[in-house]
Amino acid sequence: MMTVLLRNADEKSISRLSGSLGKKGLKIVGMEKMGKTHALIETGAISIATQPQDVELAAEPKCSKQFRLASREMSLGDTVVKLNGGVEVGGRQLALIAGPCSVESEEQLLQTAIEVQKAGAQILRGSVFKPRTSPYDFQGLGVEGLSILESIREETGMLIETEVMEPSHVKLVEPFVDMLRIGSRNMQNFELLREAGRSEKPVILKRGLSATVNEFLLAAEYILSEGNPNVILCERGIRTFMTETRNTLDLNCVPLIKALSHLPVIVDPSHGTGKADLVLPMSKAGIAVGADGLMIEVHPNPKAALSDNAQQLTPSQFADLVKKCVPVANAVGRTMRSE
Ligand code: PEP
Ligand code: MN
């Protein structure tokens, strides 16, 4: 699919074009009136024509990358994902996503939400569907957890995100959340990517455990090519020979992806390191290399957490992290909400 923005064309010439495009299997899928009419023509990557007669030229995919819609080459500028309450991911202010690995109870989520919100987080994370390595480990509260997300969202007014693990989860969780998350283990669950691409909700796509940047961007392309433009890429560490840390947070990939793509990139130093002590330094590093936000796991009592207990921060450690990250954000021309 490609979208051609046709500038300065009148409706008459667009309808004439629509006939000839139709014969080639291309179709005009929408019109925008911004001064002069713009026609949106779906074909295969983004290109711009200034005159109706340029359409045939512009309709040829010219992108050198397979991830045409995700590529910077074919974009009109950085994507800024806009959420309710004026929250943005990809704007000047960094997005701060925090919350427990797993939703365990209403009290646990409420206490975490209140504290992380006070410290500066705009988005609450919490998984109710958990992809666990062992089938004997806590698998999440499942559907039952959705009503907890709903009541905490109402009570605190926070934006909420949660993980979807299979296509049927997308429609199921949509009414309860503001964003969907596709976890590392499902980065190449293509049916899930397609279904998320048909959703109205922005999608946080985490990098696969051993995915290359090319594979990561092609996974994003699945979502974009179904029509959902709001994809946020999340670097969460990759599998290397290192055994002292859970993963190796690949901060190379932040500026690399920024050069290749217009999509916002956030960093998850919790899964990226697996160690609570390393979360602050790697958060600072992530911001310094240009990340558009952070995703941090926070639990009121990390030792007792039902999943990922070695990497979750206490609410006060999180508040301290935010304060210490603000000067780093400012040093690279970004702002950060803090207490
Ligand atoms: C998570 O964010 O809850 C999670 C399971 O992380 P990942 O998919 O990166 O392993
Ligand atoms: Mn986790």
Side-chain angles (χ1 to χ4, degrees):
M1 263 190 317
M2 176 196 282
T3 303
V4 177
L5 299 180
L6 191 61
R7 290 199 175 130
N8 299 325
D10 59 31
E11 285 181 38
K12 219 160 115 201
S13 40
I14 287 173
S15 71
R16 210 175 48 237
L17 269 167
S18 133
S20 63
L21 289 169
K23 287 189 199 127
K24 297 183 174 181
L26 307 177
K27 69 177 178 157
I28 293 185
V29 292
M31 296 276 209
E32 269 182 36
K33 283 218 164 115
M34 288 156 47
K36 301 274 175 67
T37 306
H38 291 39
L40 304 182
I41 301 162
E42 262 195 16
T43 66
I46 298 171
S47 176
I48 304 171
T50 51
Q51 294 296 326
Q53 61 268 29
D54 291 341
V55 160
E56 288 196 30
L57 193 68
E60 293 299 320
K62 289 196 212 89
C63 187
S64 66
K65 305 285 188 306
Q66 278 184 299
F67 44 87
R68 297 172 189 161
L69 298 172
S71 84
R72 180 168 288 290
E73 207 179 300
M74 306 302 259
S75 78
L76 302 173
D78 286 333
T79 289
V80 178
V81 174
K82 293 185 191 315
L83 300 156
N84 285 341
V87 175
E88 292 181 345
V89 188
R92 187 157 179 265
Q93 185 176 69
L94 298 181
L96 202 45
I97 305 170
C101 179
S102 304
V103 175
E104 297 169 6
S105 69
E106 185 154 349
E107 302 68 51
Q108 171 239 18
L109 194 62
L110 179 63
Q111 188 186 339
T112 314
I114 291 171
E115 305 218 41
V116 297
Q117 188 178 36
K118 190 163 155 248
Q122 308 105 322
I123 303 162
L124 181 68
R125 61 152 287 145
S127 304
V128 297
F129 301 112
K130 290 296 306 167
R132 302 306 301 278
T133 303
S134 164
Y136 306 117
D137 286 340
F138 177 59
Q139 304 286 306
L141 295 180
V143 178
E144 194 191 313
L146 294 175
S147 57
I148 300 182
L149 295 180
E150 186 177 37
S151 67
I152 303 306
R153 189 194 201 189
E154 252 175 50
E155 210 159 321
T156 62
M158 279 189 93
L159 299 168
I160 299 215
E161 66 83 87
T162 200
E163 177 158 357
V164 285
M165 284 171 55
E166 52 177 85
S168 69
H169 287 167
V170 172
K171 289 236 156 33
L172 181 68
V173 312
E174 269 174 353
F176 306 99
V177 298
D178 301 283
M179 305 170 90
L180 308 172
R181 171 168 25 99
I182 295 182
S184 211
R185 288 153 195 82
N186 280 306
M187 189 204 81
Q188 286 187 318
N189 179 340
F190 299 115
E191 282 314 310
L192 176 60
L193 296 172
R194 283 203 174 94
E195 187 62 15
R198 295 189 276 266
S199 174
E200 302 272 302
K201 304 282 177 179
V203 181
I204 300 168
L205 176 65
K206 299 189 87 174
R207 182 175 177 188
L209 280 71
S210 302
T212 64
V213 163
N214 190 56
E215 288 161 346
F216 193 13
L217 290 171
L218 281 169
E221 190 78 10
Y222 268 88
I223 303 173
L224 298 171
S225 64
E226 288 297 327
N228 187 341
N230 294 315
V231 178
I232 296 151
L233 301 167
C234 179
E235 162 57 31
R236 48 75 72 200
I238 49 172
R239 179 73 58 96
T240 68
F241 55 82
M242 283 288 289
T243 50
E244 294 84 350
T245 49
R246 181 177 178 182
N247 289 298
T248 297
L249 189 65
D250 176 22
L251 291 182
N252 288 354
C253 96
V254 178
L256 180 61
I257 293 174
K258 289 271 168 191
L260 292 170
S261 176
H262 53 91
L263 295 172
V265 184
I266 64 170
V267 164
D268 170 355
S270 304
H271 293 89
T273 64
K275 287 179 182 283
D277 289 353
L278 299 184
V279 173
L280 168 63
M282 297 316 285
S283 296
K284 289 180 179 170
I287 295 170
V289 296
D292 295 300
L294 298 172
M295 178 185 285
I296 313 265
E297 285 190 342
V298 182
H299 191 286
N301 181 7
K303 281 200 187 78
L306 299 181
S307 56
D308 289 352
N309 55 9
Q311 69 194 38
Q312 303 205 58
L313 301 186
T314 63
S316 71
Q317 285 172 326
F318 176 70
D320 181 58
L321 175 145
V322 178
K323 284 199 192 103
K324 291 182 171 153
C325 283
V326 170
V328 182
N330 296 340
V332 293
R334 310 296 285 262
T335 60
M336 201 167 166
R337 241 186 70 183
S338 72
E339 207 174 337

